[in-house]
Amino acid sequence: MKKTCIFQDTDNTKKTADLLEVARRMYGNEPFESHAVILEGPSDEIYGAFHHIIRLSAGLVEGFDSRGICDVLENLHQTNTFDSILIPATCLGEMIAPRLAVRLQTGLAAGVTDIGRNGDRIAFIRPACSGKRLQGLEHTGEGPVVMSIRPNAFEYTSGGGVETEMSEYTQPVTSRTAVKRLHSEANKQTYDIRDSEVLISGGNGVKDCFPKLYPLADALNGTVAASRKLVDQGIAPRQIQVGQSGKTVSPRLYMALGIHGSMPHMAGLRQIETIISVNRSSHAPVCSLSDIVVQGDAAEFIDKLMAKMLSADPKKKDR
Amino acid sequence: MKMICVVKFVPDLDSIVHDGENNTMTGNNSRMILNPDDACALAFALQVKAEDPDGSIEVVSMGPPSVRPHMEDLLRRDVDRGTLICDSVFDGSDPSVTSRVLARYIATRPFDCLLTGSHSLDGGTAQVPVQLAELLDLDQMLGISRMDPDRFDRKRAVFQVAEEKSVTTYEMAMPCVLSLTRESGYKLPYPRLTDMRRDVSDELAVITNQALGFSTTEVGQTGSPMKIVTTRPKTYDKKERHIVQNDEAGISFVVDFLKERGFL
Amino acid sequence: MDKNEMIENLGKILSPAQVNTDSEALYDASADRYKKYAKVRRVLDVPLPAAIVYPKSAEEVSKVLAFCNAYELNVIPRAGKTATEGGLENWKDNTIVIDALYLDKILNVDTYNMQATVQAGVPLQELEDELRKNGLTAGHSPQSKPVAKLGGLVATRSIGQFSTLYGGIEDMVVGLECVFPDGHISRIKNVARRSGGPDIRHIAIGNEGALCYITEVTVKLFRYYPENNRFYGYLVKDVETGIKVLREVMVNGFRPSMARTYSEEDAAQHFYHFHKNKCVLLFMAEGPEGIVQATCQAIEAAVETFKNGVVEQVDSRMIEEWFNGLNWSQKDIDDEYEGMQNNDSHAGYTTEISADWETIPRIYNSVMQRIKKEYPRAHDLTMLGGHSSHSYINGTNMYFVYNYHIHCAPEDEMRVYHHPMQKIIVEETLKHGGSMCHHHGIGKFRNEWTMQEHGSAYYMLEKLKEVFDPKGIMNFGTIYPQAEGVKYQT
């Protein structure tokens, strides 16, 4: 039977079990033995999903010590001879997986988002070239395959009900690491519009109701941006100006409210997945590049959209 | 302070865009640029050197002969030594092999700190800097978003790693491998016009396998445990434009669209 | 004379309040929009002027010039600061910038004789706004209209967007007043026409501050009929077709106020929402009703004649909308300034040339070919195109526009990017017998080709300089090449 070892997703411990889906796709629907190695958090989140849960004893290794954690995984592999070792591609995981591959003298498939099958050959699919291409990799070496898995790329929906054996790993690590964590703080909310996946952007058509864009942005988990016209009039600050002389943005969703779409503005938009524009004039150049064009007054649109979204999801009222 | 910057030249992928109308990729992907994360690492090293009279920088890269002019371009800045590891026997090497080749060369060089980028535009695995550290038995950190210039010396480095929810400050003893990201914002200065016209071709050291001594089965495609078997462009759905009014039907359309795409 | 003495003396000639030695103002005065990027990044390689002075009358200008002439101080005449070819750039340490700030009065608007007299420091927009109150227009509308002032507009032989109907500034000037380096004030009176020897207005019009300082201008007025404006837009197969249609309209005797052909890339900047990767041809007819109608018919007929090259007509409303947003404002300039601080880019540059109908497409094609083949930074170009926008019975202009990622140190941008581009354009133009400077003036950065531009007629320009500015104090480096200035160019 195939054996797989899965290291905990330390960013989101509940998601650790999702990596079982990777194993399921690799091994077809053949049963496989799963081992979870966890560092922190309650094990009952994954109880019933794994055959073995190995908890590192408290204080054995620091949460950021990739070399120490590598020792643990290496030892466990010596004992169990896994066929695959799956590590979530968190910041920590990206530092563990390559080291482990070197120690086990095997190949590494990094940032995997999908598993493909070609007869009995398994292909590890991963994005490359800044997400513009998809590579399929095959492991031709000996030894286990070591993989780091992209967050949210897989979902495991089995019912659980596996008989789980719990154990504690107590063997001291031998790697000496000279890293100290000095200090950690919450990442202050970034207001750089370039970091946002959703931008609610206002132009001259919303100059009299610009503050309305903020609740709309909140409702869509986005950030407010503006065209030069509003910055010139002092209605919006320069930091959120989109355009050739402002910032270049690549959100997934760009909502252009009352924006004309002059070239200097459009030059600030790159590779947008979806553009929704709201404009009184259907001749506004921005409409030619939009996926949805709403013909009408932008202020009215915001009111109507907010009302519709609230009626669909009353929880949003509390935002 | 002796610094080695490990760099890679990659296709200029930022200039390739998806043409929605024809559902193709357009743009010039034949131009090579210095990987943006690596450029930050080098820029930081140059800043350190500017303040340190004993500072020195060696830039190391493994690549085909076509990256020579790009390495020379780096020599036109305040870089002391440039080394290109280049041999046809290395063609087709996967990142694991690349790490081994680079490690073997770097092990022969004196250094206090190895500075690299974190992710490359083309591969994007962040594998090489980590494996380099493992092979050289060094500590390493990925994703460095800020260096503390006042606590960077032959004994230790203090730096920050910014993740989605938190920013953590670490201290690491030298020698070690520090991998920066482009978010760190260090900007590589352009060479001056007078330097652009300088011939630096004989300042670039080219290291072949003769100096490193790998057997042919250890490197290249043969030596690579992972092989790329397929590669295809990521496909996008063809775009369709919808025009709606500011009425119940139009608003519902927008809301449904947003729900479908996962924004709501 | 040392700087402090100089400043003191100027303070006595004018008043201390009219002498500005603020370091920021001096830094700003040391270069114009030609070196906009280096200026923003604070790496200009030229000397600072010694002071900026603000005379309040022609007499004060005269005293200052006489003073500068006596002590051989370089003088830069300045008004709206919108110069783009280095005309305002400073190449000497002891330079006095004479700014027309206080020469800001509209002296007379004569709606019967259709003339208006203004001082050199009056912004064109201000004059235009005043004229519109009377249903009139100056007819002169460069993109810099909101910011540019009359003195500079006349000194550079500027052209406006409606020149095809109203003419260039040289057709609009009636009379003027100017001051020469020796302090002599010349007033050229306002008459409709005369034959009183050579037309001496043209010593001042286009002198770019290299011969005299313009203090006052009288321009013609025109009745304004905005209600009759009509627009036409077409997508055409290539630039040649567009030029042929423009020529047809002109040669048949009609004068649209705007007549333009854009190459595909240039069209993309303005008309991305409808140009479908084709060239764009557009017209605007303005004036009295009958004239507009006749002009429209002529446009339609010309398009019909060349219909094989015409792909489709564009909705006129789109052309009208575009037209309404065309001019710069101070805000555009300020915004570009801010953008250049943070981004390694700017809004682009232009080189404007002219030639006869036959030659223009030849120049256009050979320039494009040469750039693709020879331009060392072709891979950094983000835009390269051109448009014809000012037509005459016997020819037209071609406005090359280009932009690029600036992948070099800011102080090297001109030498790495702009100059090599401009060199190709100028060389091809001069080779084919066209003019390298349709309406921006030679400034300083095309002075290496001034002699080629004029050929044997350069003799006439040279003599003017010898006679009117024997000590060479007027705007050192503008128009006339100077060995000492070469270090700021290449």
Side-chain angles (χ1 to χ4, degrees):
Chain A
M1 196 188 306
K2 300 283 189 193
K3 279 190 200 172
T4 188
C5 174
I6 293 176
F7 183 72
Q8 182 180 44
D9 184 334
T10 50
D11 279 357
N12 196 340
T13 54
K14 285 202 194 60
K15 298 233 168 186
T16 304
D18 281 335
L19 269 62
L20 288 165
E21 175 64 13
V22 180
R24 192 195 68 72
R25 289 204 210 163
M26 280 198 292
Y27 304 131
N29 284 308
E30 280 174 40
F32 58 88
E33 192 182 292
S34 59
H35 300 241
V37 179
I38 63 176
L39 200 55
E40 59 200 38
S43 50
D44 46 341
E45 288 176 334
I46 54 171
Y47 197 88
F50 287 88
H51 296 102
H52 300 266
I53 296 180
I54 302 143
R55 177 184 282 283
L56 270 59
S57 68
L60 187 81
V61 76
E62 297 275 18
F64 53 84
D65 180 4
S66 53
R67 290 168 94 177
I69 294 170
C70 229
D71 277 3
V72 173
L73 294 171
E74 190 184 0
N75 282 333
L76 285 171
H77 177 71
Q78 306 304 6
T79 317
N80 293 284
T81 321
F82 299 115
D83 297 284
S84 55
I85 304 175
L86 313 180
I87 300 170
T90 56
C91 291
L92 175 63
E94 280 194 314
M95 290 190 282
I96 298 172
R99 284 190 186 270
L100 190 60
V102 170
R103 300 231 194 142
L104 303 182
Q105 293 179 48
T106 186
L108 168 72
V112 172
T113 52
D114 200 1
I115 303 289
R117 293 193 63 121
N118 200 354
D120 59 353
R121 284 180 20 224
I122 302 168
F124 309 103
I125 314 285
R126 58 175 304 276
C129 298
S130 302
K132 292 169 173 125
R133 297 190 78 82
L134 288 174
Q135 278 177 346
L137 301 169
E138 265 182 30
H139 184 226
T140 55
E142 307 216 330
V145 65
V146 176
M147 273 188 268
S148 67
I149 314 289
R150 276 270 178 111
N152 301 317
F154 294 88
E155 206 184 322
Y156 189 63
T157 52
S158 174
V162 167
E163 212 181 285
T164 306
E165 197 184 297
M166 306 277 304
S167 62
E168 200 185 345
Y169 184 97
T170 53
Q171 202 177 331
V173 300
T174 49
S175 285
R176 291 272 151 264
T177 184
V179 184
K180 281 190 263 188
R181 175 155 63 192
L182 296 185
H183 154 68
S184 187
E185 60 195 19
N187 199 349
K188 284 190 226 52
Q189 172 121 72
T190 171
Y191 289 115
D192 191 331
I193 54 174
R194 288 174 288 204
D195 294 336
S196 190
E197 287 217 325
V198 174
L199 282 178
I200 308 299
S201 190
N204 215 27
V206 293
K207 69 173 195 254
D208 296 325
C209 65
F210 188 68
K212 280 195 193 185
L213 271 65
Y214 288 89
L216 178 58
D218 277 345
L220 290 166
N221 279 322
T223 311
V224 174
S227 76
R228 230 200 82 196
K229 282 251 154 61
L230 293 191
V231 175
D232 282 351
Q233 294 171 65
I235 294 172
R238 206 168 200 289
Q239 296 90 292
I240 64 172
Q241 182 176 318
V242 171
Q244 199 249 322
S245 59
K247 295 195 164 80
T248 301
V249 296
S250 311
R252 282 187 59 216
L253 170 66
Y254 190 78
M255 216 184 257
L257 302 167
I259 290 179
H260 181 73
S262 67
M263 200 60 194
H265 181 82
M266 304 310 280
L269 303 182
R270 285 191 66 94
Q271 298 275 78
I272 317 274
E273 215 180 276
T274 306
I275 299 179
I276 299 179
S277 64
V278 184
N279 208 298
R280 268 189 256 213
S281 163
S282 55
H283 295 131
V286 68
C287 300
S288 68
L289 295 179
S290 305
D291 299 279
I292 302 182
V293 175
V294 179
Q295 249 182 314
D297 178 59
E300 214 183 290
F301 169 81
I302 298 173
D303 289 338
K304 289 188 173 167
L305 183 64
M306 288 296 289
K308 189 85 185 176
M309 291 194 302
L310 285 174
S311 71
D313 183 0
K315 276 193 289 199
K316 291 216 189 302
K317 268 206 186 99
D318 299 329
R319 279 178 171 274
Chain B
M1 180 97 194
K2 292 195 173 61
M3 296 170 281
I4 295 185
C5 293
V6 184
V7 304
K8 183 180 181 190
F9 295 96
V10 297
D12 185 5
L13 287 154
D14 283 344
S15 70
I16 298 181
V17 293
H18 179 242
D19 177 351
E21 284 240 351
N22 302 314
N23 207 14
T24 55
M25 292 295 191
T26 58
N28 183 6
N29 65 347
S30 58
R31 277 208 67 223
M32 303 292 270
I33 57 166
L34 179 57
N35 186 44
D37 280 6
D38 305 1
C40 284
L42 178 55
F44 171 71
L46 287 168
Q47 272 185 27
V48 170
K49 185 182 166 184
E51 304 288 316
D52 176 6
D54 293 320
S56 74
I57 301 174
E58 177 178 353
V59 176
V60 178
S61 186
M62 179 168 135
S66 59
V67 310
R68 274 202 71 129
H70 299 279
M71 284 295 283
E72 286 177 14
D73 204 36
L74 296 183
L75 284 167
R76 294 194 173 91
R77 280 105 160 174
D78 197 17
V79 165
D80 299 280
R81 196 179 150 125
T83 305
L84 176 62
I85 301 174
C86 180
D87 195 312
S88 56
V89 81
F90 298 141
D91 286 354
S93 298
D94 79 352
S96 307
V97 172
T98 304
S99 307
R100 274 189 262 132
V101 172
L102 284 168
R104 191 172 285 193
Y105 169 72
I106 293 172
T108 67
R109 304 289 304 140
F111 63 91
D112 297 303
C113 185
L114 267 186
L115 290 156
T116 76
S118 290
H119 295 90
S120 63
L121 281 188
D122 56 355
T125 59
Q127 188 177 334
V128 171
V130 181
Q131 293 193 326
L132 205 47
E134 180 64 26
L135 291 162
L136 294 169
D137 197 26
L138 297 171
D139 283 314
Q140 182 262 355
M141 188 66 72
L142 275 183
I144 296 175
S145 53
R146 199 196 310 196
M147 298 292 305
D148 184 341
D150 299 322
R151 290 188 282 178
F152 180 83
D153 53 41
R154 306 189 63 201
K155 291 221 174 61
R156 47 85 164 118
V158 173
F159 50 84
Q160 280 185 355
V161 175
E163 294 175 59
E164 213 186 301
K165 298 202 179 87
S166 60
V167 177
T168 310
T169 307
Y170 294 98
E171 182 177 317
M172 196 177 268
M174 294 293 192
C176 64
V177 180
L178 300 175
S179 305
L180 280 69
T181 64
R182 69 208 286 194
E183 277 72 37
S184 62
Y186 294 103
K187 244 189 116 175
L188 192 62
Y190 293 105
R192 289 305 314 274
L193 192 58
T194 39
D195 288 324
M196 277 193 248
R197 294 171 175 156
R198 250 196 322 140
D199 179 9
V200 296
S201 49
D202 52 359
E203 286 177 36
L204 179 66
V206 180
I207 303 281
T208 63
N209 191 34
Q210 205 171 30
L212 299 176
F214 285 99
S215 78
T216 48
T217 51
E218 285 180 290
V219 293
Q221 274 219 327
T222 334
S224 299
M226 295 300 279
K227 291 196 176 26
I228 300 176
V229 290
T230 61
T231 169
R232 58 180 170 84
K234 181 156 180 224
T235 49
Y236 295 87
D237 298 320
K238 194 145 164 69
K239 281 199 184 237
E240 230 189 276
R241 187 151 63 109
H242 303 271
I243 301 179
V244 302
Q245 302 301 313
N246 217 357
D247 54 19
E248 175 61 35
I251 302 288
S252 297
F253 184 86
V254 173
V255 172
D256 290 339
F257 183 92
L258 292 171
K259 281 210 184 108
E260 206 195 319
R261 298 287 175 107
F263 296 113
L264 271 179
Chain C
M1 171 172 291
D2 78 18
K3 249 185 213 169
N4 292 323
E5 259 187 274
M6 207 196 295
I7 311 283
E8 222 188 289
N9 279 315
L10 285 167
K12 290 199 186 111
I13 295 171
L14 301 172
S15 72
Q18 288 168 266
V19 180
N20 185 357
T21 52
D22 169 65
S23 58
E24 264 315 297
L26 292 180
Y27 180 77
D28 177 58
S30 55
D32 61 25
R33 292 182 54 71
Y34 191 78
K35 286 192 180 157
K36 59 190 178 184
Y37 186 64
K39 189 193 264 196
V40 168
R41 296 294 183 96
R42 315 291 302 193
V43 290
L44 286 176
D45 58 349
V46 291
L48 297 180
I52 307 167
V53 300
Y54 308 91
K56 296 183 176 167
S57 64
E59 287 66 33
E60 287 196 345
V61 173
S62 167
K63 288 192 197 134
V64 173
L65 279 181
F67 171 76
C68 293
N69 200 32
Y71 293 98
E72 300 192 31
L73 308 172
N74 187 36
V75 169
I76 298 181
R78 186 177 87 168
K81 295 162 67 177
T82 55
T84 59
E85 308 300 324
L88 293 177
E89 187 166 304
N90 178 37
W91 286 359
K92 290 258 185 190
D93 284 302
N94 287 341
T95 295
I96 306 297
V97 174
I98 304 182
D99 192 303
L101 184 67
Y102 295 136
L103 299 171
D104 60 354
K105 296 177 197 34
I106 298 177
L107 297 171
N108 187 31
V109 175
D110 183 344
T111 59
Y112 192 76
N113 291 308
M114 301 298 271
Q115 289 171 173
T117 303
V118 301
Q119 291 185 310
V122 170
L124 177 55
Q125 188 71 59
E126 212 180 279
L127 171 62
E128 185 68 18
D129 290 343
E130 188 59 36
L131 296 174
R132 295 281 179 96
K133 292 181 192 162
N134 294 297
L136 300 172
T137 177
H140 194 52
S141 180
Q143 247 184 316
S144 56
K145 180 161 75 179
V147 185
K149 298 180 178 177
L150 265 305
L153 291 167
V154 173
T156 53
R157 272 179 82 87
S158 59
I159 204 132
Q161 289 154 67
F162 313 125
S163 67
T164 305
L165 173 60
Y166 297 103
I169 193 72
E170 67 277 14
D171 303 302
M172 300 162 166
V173 170
V174 183
L176 57 90
E177 178 189 74
C178 60
V179 187
F180 287 91
D182 63 3
H184 184 89
I185 303 174
S186 287
R187 169 166 288 276
I188 302 177
K189 69 184 179 188
N190 298 329
V191 279
R193 191 206 187 264
R194 66 176 160 183
S195 124
D199 192 340
I200 49 176
R201 292 176 301 176
H202 293 285
I203 294 172
I205 303 175
N207 88 97
E208 300 184 42
L211 298 175
C212 62
Y213 190 101
I214 299 170
T215 48
E216 192 187 293
V217 179
T218 299
V219 292
K220 296 179 198 170
L221 304 181
F222 304 89
R223 183 141 290 171
Y224 188 53
Y225 299 92
E227 67 280 9
N228 296 339
N229 287 348
R230 290 273 301 276
F231 297 89
Y232 286 88
Y234 301 89
L235 300 185
V236 296
K237 286 193 186 135
D238 50 28
V239 168
E240 280 90 335
T241 305
I243 303 268
K244 285 193 184 127
V245 178
L246 294 178
R247 177 185 173 280
E248 182 76 5
V249 172
M250 296 303 295
V251 154
N252 288 344
F254 296 90
R255 309 269 287 262
S257 58
M258 230 181 20
R260 297 185 174 203
T261 293
Y262 284 83
S263 73
E264 299 86 339
E265 270 207 48
D266 196 357
Q269 277 196 96
H270 303 268
F271 314 115
Y272 70 88
H273 50 308
F274 64 74
H275 88 305
K276 302 184 190 174
N277 277 319
K278 299 274 176 297
C279 298
V280 169
L281 170 66
L282 52 92
F283 291 98
M284 176 177 163
E286 88 179 60
E289 175 73 42
I291 303 234
V292 169
Q293 272 180 16
T295 310
C296 287
Q297 278 169 14
I299 292 168
E300 288 163 20
V303 168
E304 179 64 25
T305 306
F306 292 98
K307 64 179 180 223
N308 288 333
V310 179
V311 175
E312 66 186 58
Q313 185 166 8
V314 168
D315 189 335
S316 296
R317 284 172 297 179
M318 305 231 246
I319 309 296
E320 189 169 357
E321 261 189 51
W322 162 79
F323 166 74
N324 287 331
L326 209 45
N327 288 344
W328 298 353
S329 61
Q330 186 58 48
K331 285 235 151 71
D332 288 287
I333 298 174
D334 293 342
D335 177 71
E336 191 192 15
Y337 183 94
E338 295 283 323
M340 289 192 283
Q341 288 193 315
N342 299 315
N343 302 327
D344 288 351
S345 67
H346 49 49
Y349 277 110
T350 60
T351 299
E352 48 6 311
I353 61 117
S354 61
D356 61 33
W357 293 112
E358 226 175 12
T359 311
I360 276 286
R362 280 195 215 131
I363 295 176
Y364 178 79
N365 289 327
S366 62
V367 163
M368 289 303 172
Q369 264 180 34
R370 248 189 91 178
I371 290 174
K372 291 186 175 113
K373 228 176 25 171
E374 278 174 42
Y375 183 64
R377 293 285 176 134
H379 52 268
D380 283 329
L381 285 172
T382 54
M383 197 257 305
L384 172 64
H387 63 268
S388 155
S389 43
H390 304 277
S391 288
Y392 310 88
I393 195 135
N394 54 350
T396 185
N397 80 318
M398 179 54 67
Y399 217 137
F400 288 98
V401 299
Y402 38 93
N403 205 350
Y404 37 79
H405 292 304
I406 305 172
H407 287 148
C408 72
E411 54 268 40
D412 293 328
E413 186 227 343
M414 304 318 302
R415 293 172 180 85
V416 172
Y417 289 98
H418 190 183
H419 186 256
M421 175 71 77
Q422 194 165 68
K423 186 163 183 293
I424 293 175
I425 298 170
V426 169
E427 281 176 4
E428 286 308 299
T429 304
L430 292 175
K431 194 162 77 181
H432 286 87
S435 167
M436 69 172 182
C437 42
H438 175 254
H439 66 268
H440 281 169
I442 291 177
K444 295 182 173 68
F445 290 93
R446 287 190 279 199
N447 71 6
E448 64 189 271
W449 298 290
T450 305
M451 292 191 259
Q452 257 187 289
E453 168 71 26
H454 289 284
S456 59
Y458 180 70
Y459 167 85
M460 297 163 76
L461 264 187
E462 218 177 2
K463 291 295 175 194
L464 282 174
K465 184 72 165 171
E466 270 173 42
V467 163
F468 289 116
D469 183 22
K471 290 195 183 175
I473 67 157
M474 295 302 284
N475 210 347
F476 179 83
T478 291
I479 299 179
Y480 304 91
Q482 302 287 356
E484 217 188 288
V486 171
K487 60 179 181 273
Y488 301 118
Q489 295 173 285
T490 46

